Amino acid sequence: MKALVVLTLVCLLAGGASARTLRIAADPNNLPFSNDREEGFENALASMLARDLGAGIEYVWRAQRRGFFRESFQGDRCDLVLGAPVGFERAHVTAPYYRSSYVFVTRDGLAIASLDDPRLKTLRVGIAVVGDDGADPPTTLALARRGIVDNVTGFSVYGDYREPSPPLRLLDALDRGQIDVALGWGPVAGAAAHARPGAYRITPVTPDPDPLTGMPFSFAIGIGVRKDEPALAREIESFLARRRPDIERLLDAHGIPRTAP
Amino acid sequence: MPPAARPSGPLSAVLCLLVAGAARAAAPATDGDWPMPGHDFANTRYSPLSEVTPANASKLKLAWSFTTGIEKGHEAAPIVVGSRMYVVTPYPNKVFAFDLTKAGRSDMVAWEYAPKVLPAAQGVACCDVVNRGACYANGRLFFNTLDGQTIALDAASGKELWIAQVGTIHKGETMTMAPLVVKDKVLVGNSGGEMGVRGWLKALDAASGRLAWTAWSTGPDTAVRIGPSFRPFYPQDRGKDLGVTTWPPDRRQIGGGTVWGFVSYDPKLDLIYYGTANPGIWNAEMRPGDNKWSCGVFARTPATGEARWFYQFSPHDLYDHDGVNENVIVDLPFEGGARRAVLHADRNGLFYVLDAATGEVISATPYGRVNSNRGVDLATGRLIPVDAKKPTTGKVVRDIAPAAAGAKDWQPMAWSPRTRLAYVPHHALAMDFEGTEASYIEGTPYVGANVRMYPDPVDPGGGNRGLFTAWDPVRRRVAWRAVERFPVWSGALVTAGDVVFYGTMDGWFKALDARTGKLLWKSQTASGIIGQPVAYRGPDGKEYVAVLAGVGGWAGAIVVGDLDPRDATAATGFVNAMKDLPSSTRKGGALYVYALP
């Protein structure tokens, strides 16, 4: 009996503050969101969350592609994913911790604010595109419906995974002068602009939602929690509410642009 | 026949060619072999063995079996040459060689080979981590790995001869197809249209693995290997650089047209045939034009890869109707005389008979319910689309038939020169397209498409999703057909005994009378069947029928991926149509071999 008590004590001590561990599924090569050096804003949020809950973090790295949620939650029994669109059916998504929109990214004084700007028909436009898997960013259709097709260059969101953070190739093309305007998701463009002050002009895409397609350009992002962990979801909801100002500062520090709901 | 009597080494190359002459003139010494996925170059899946007949098939019994220990979808054809059988598993793409003289004994595995495959390839593959098998030629065994390697092994010892890294998963490329060896070339193609991959077929030197040529499916004529000998039948396929001009500028770089189906070869015309997958970017509005050379069939000279002709089944594809389904090369008796023809049952629901020399459409006839096209205009060769069934973002389009999975997917048909019928394993699925929301946000997980597939409500109805159709390509009509609850996702086999075989996803392996469709025999397997059945003559001279069980693939993703049946749009909407599969079968790969007592 005495031995058991001692053993229990040893376990408690050894476990220390990390007795509880959050298993987090994240992409190891997807800045500004996350990477395996924990440089992304989602990594920073994970650290803040873990400290707040008195938990440790165990990352399960996986490229964010088809099957990401299924494999992370079912196969690997991860507890959470740090960025999931509100309303996404494959997780319990918390209240949003940010809301952002698609943006025009330009350089050298060029300013584009609307999809209906006639210059978009002649400027060289870059967008992120998916393969043939049934999904595209909302910008794809918005341009197509306006007849802006021939002057558009598509950059695969998957890119070449050997290169750092493939989604950033869209902005590289802008830097190289291969395109004049990039249409990208706010956090990607915002973080790049934050890292290089003055390099880019970032303007939210309007009209939002797009009357021609009915599709929105703004999305609210929360934390995706495995559906059979309602208690954890409640804790995270509480964390997001309590630490609102800290989270805002964190997002500012990474240059994540937000839009009002 | 004793194994010692079998020729091996260089002679086998000759064997391959002989077998390739298809059903007509297989040499007696080799008529019991199954050296390549489709049995012969013509891709007939016809075995000249005739021991099993409609009169005795009911007596078939399990002769031996083998568990692979892998739980993913098993789509490969067992390859049999002499007294050896070779089986490739899904990822991690192990190869087992069985000594058939010891079949059923604990020491029957002659050798086992485990390639080094990057585990990350699993996350890149679209539709389970399948492999469609190996090809034997000249004492060597060739197969592909999921992460883009083509590997040659010494068939006798299992020793690695060479490895060629032909695809890269870092760009989304995977490989699932079975190679075909034609003369001294190993022909291989890529998968990964879902990831914006640009399709190619490569020819590797069989002795060294060195790249001989690459034929891209999009881009300028030089990249597509279109030159002076390219003579397509229809004017829309003639002109300079159509692989560029039928796309908006730059779009061809992510153009799709991957090559993940079977390759056929006609020694008489010295042409290889293979299909190309659908064009890249799902949203068709971003890629106006015919999007050549996607969704069609190429005929090429194997030595150089030069294109001879091309025919496009689905110009400007809207439905994910890849043109990769297999092409079977046959002589067909028409009223005006016999014609060398390509038989092709397309995803778009039409059964094509093409002239093998020219690519002319002899006929194109629905072999299931089709409402998304009105067939082919034979004057122009063009598919006639139905505007009301066009999937359009912002619109809900209901009852599109066939669904994204087509009237038939990869599962290869068989052709009997005796009955002159094609035996087509396929499915009956319709879909709703609900293009109402943005479906992808960078940096957030994949949100999924708004596609839901479901059992075709009209034909055959009653919630049945599978059909096994005996199709008469001359009379252009169904000779007979069998209805199945689940899609028939296995290959077909037909023998000179006039028996056809196929497997079901709920784990029944069936033998039917090739002339009448009468069910002769069935046997249950532990897991559903999506593999390619084969027939071979064992060292004891008897006829054996072998098939891999192990449910999976796109249709079986719900079982191997443990998908949530409520998650209707998972696996690009296929899960919605397969909610009852998990209660009907379990995962797990195993080889089953049957024979008469």
Side-chain angles (χ1 to χ4, degrees), chain A residues 64-66 69-70 74 83 90 102 128-129 131-136 140-141 145 149-150 152-153 159 161-162 185, chain B residues 124 170 193-194 196 249-251 254 278 281-283 285-286 392-393 439 442-443 445-446 449 562-563 567 572:
Chain A
Q64 220 170 58
R65 289 171 182 157
R66 182 172 177 163
F69 258 74
R70 165 171 36 89
Q74 291 181 21
R90 286 172 206 180
Y102 275 82
V129 295
D132 64 8
D133 209 5
D136 282 302
T140 310
L141 189 67
R145 288 284 163 89
V149 170
D150 280 358
V152 175
T153 301
Y161 204 65
R162 287 169 296 195
W185 174 229
Chain B
V124 176
H170 305 291
E194 306 71 24
D250 285 337
R251 219 56 40 80
I254 41 174
N278 56 320
I281 311 194
W282 178 275
N283 196 311
E285 293 178 55
M286 245 312 150
T392 308
T393 308
S439 48
E442 292 101 308
Y446 189 73
D562 297 313
L563 302 187
D567 191 356
T572 323

Side-chain angles (χ1 to χ4, degrees), chain B residues 73-165:
Chain B
H74 286 56
E75 287 190 351
I79 296 300
V80 180
V81 178
S83 59
R84 281 285 173 84
M85 176 190 284
Y86 309 92
V87 168
V88 184
T89 72
Y91 173 88
N93 305 130
K94 282 188 189 171
V95 185
F96 294 102
F98 300 104
D99 181 342
L100 296 176
T101 63
K102 299 174 182 172
R105 287 172 29 185
S106 56
D107 61 344
M108 67 179 164
V109 176
W111 52 260
E112 185 181 333
Y113 174 83
K116 291 181 189 69
V117 187
L118 292 174
Q122 296 171 89
V124 176
C126 79
C127 323
D128 196 8
V129 294
V130 298
N131 183 288
R132 304 197 173 88
C135 183
Y136 175 97
N138 200 15
R140 304 185 188 107
L141 192 75
F142 305 91
F143 71 104
N144 297 317
T145 63
L146 189 66
D147 67 348
Q149 307 171 60
T150 301
I151 297 180
L153 303 177
D154 177 68
S157 65
K159 204 183 101 217
E160 203 174 274
L161 299 173
W162 51 258
I163 294 180
Q165 185 75 50

Side-chain angles (χ1 to χ4, degrees), chain B residues 30 37 74 124 146 173-174 195 317 347 364 381 429 435 447 488 527:
Chain B
T30 62
H74 286 56
V124 176
L146 189 66
E173 268 174 354
T174 51
M195 306 279 292
D317 167 60
R347 285 256 280 257
L429 298 166
V447 184
V488 184
S527 180

Side-chain angles (χ1 to χ4, degrees), chain B residues 68-410:
Chain B
T68 66
I70 293 167
E71 294 195 328
K72 300 299 185 179
H74 286 56
E75 287 190 351
I79 296 300
V80 180
V81 178
S83 59
R84 281 285 173 84
M85 176 190 284
Y86 309 92
V87 168
V88 184
T89 72
Y91 173 88
N93 305 130
K94 282 188 189 171
V95 185
F96 294 102
F98 300 104
D99 181 342
L100 296 176
T101 63
K102 299 174 182 172
R105 287 172 29 185
S106 56
D107 61 344
M108 67 179 164
V109 176
W111 52 260
E112 185 181 333
Y113 174 83
K116 291 181 189 69
V117 187
L118 292 174
Q122 296 171 89
V124 176
C126 79
C127 323
D128 196 8
V129 294
V130 298
N131 183 288
R132 304 197 173 88
C135 183
Y136 175 97
N138 200 15
R140 304 185 188 107
L141 192 75
F142 305 91
F143 71 104
N144 297 317
T145 63
L146 189 66
D147 67 348
Q149 307 171 60
T150 301
I151 297 180
L153 303 177
D154 177 68
S157 65
K159 204 183 101 217
E160 203 174 274
L161 299 173
W162 51 258
I163 294 180
Q165 185 75 50
V166 287
T168 167
I169 60 161
H170 305 291
K171 291 182 176 175
E173 268 174 354
T174 51
M175 287 175 83
T176 56
M177 59 90 80
L180 184 75
V181 183
V182 174
K183 298 182 211 176
D184 61 342
K185 302 279 192 302
V186 185
L187 303 169
V188 295
N190 60 354
S191 310
E194 306 71 24
M195 306 279 292
V197 163
R198 181 179 170 208
W200 45 255
L201 181 79
K202 290 181 198 260
L204 309 175
D205 176 61
S208 65
R210 212 176 46 240
L211 179 69
W213 50 260
T214 301
W216 295 93
S217 299
T218 66
D221 287 350
T222 48
V224 186
R225 299 189 87 76
I226 284 175
S229 58
F230 185 59
R231 290 186 293 275
F233 194 83
Y234 298 101
Q236 63 264 28
D237 299 314
R238 298 177 206 143
K240 192 173 155 45
D241 294 332
L242 295 180
V244 175
T245 59
T246 59
W247 295 86
D250 285 337
R251 219 56 40 80
R252 64 187 163 80
Q253 301 292 356
I254 41 174
T258 53
V259 181
W260 56 271
F262 295 95
V263 183
S264 320
Y265 174 58
D266 184 351
K268 208 159 92 181
L269 295 167
D270 192 32
L271 290 174
I272 56 164
Y273 303 86
Y274 66 93
T276 57
N278 56 320
I281 311 194
W282 178 275
N283 196 311
E285 293 178 55
M286 245 312 150
R287 49 171 172 82
D290 279 355
N291 308 144
K292 291 184 194 316
W293 308 87
S294 66
C295 291
V297 51
F298 268 114
R300 295 182 184 275
T301 303
T304 60
E306 282 171 296
R308 180 70 58 80
W309 57 259
F310 174 87
Y311 173 74
Q312 194 167 31
F313 303 113
S314 300
H316 188 64
D317 167 60
L318 302 173
Y319 303 99
D320 190 22
H321 283 169
D322 305 46
V324 298
N325 292 359
E326 73 289 351
N327 302 292
V328 183
I329 319 303
V330 302
D331 286 317
L332 276 193
F334 286 100
E335 277 179 21
R339 287 181 84 167
R340 194 75 166 161
V342 174
L343 305 183
H344 174 97
D346 197 73
R347 285 256 280 257
N348 70 18
L350 302 180
F351 193 104
Y352 289 82
V353 181
L354 307 176
D355 186 299
T358 65
E360 179 189 6
V361 180
I362 298 169
S363 66
T365 317
Y367 60 101
R369 188 170 77 101
V370 177
N371 65 22
S372 57
N373 69 67
R374 274 190 270 274
V376 172
D377 177 346
L378 289 181
T380 63
R382 280 190 82 92
L383 189 72
I384 306 163
V386 173
D387 283 344
K389 297 294 179 182
K390 254 173 92 165
T392 308
T393 308
K395 260 172 59 180
V396 178
V397 185
R398 303 225 181 267
D399 187 31
I400 301 171
K408 171 183 172 301
D409 195 89
W410 80 281

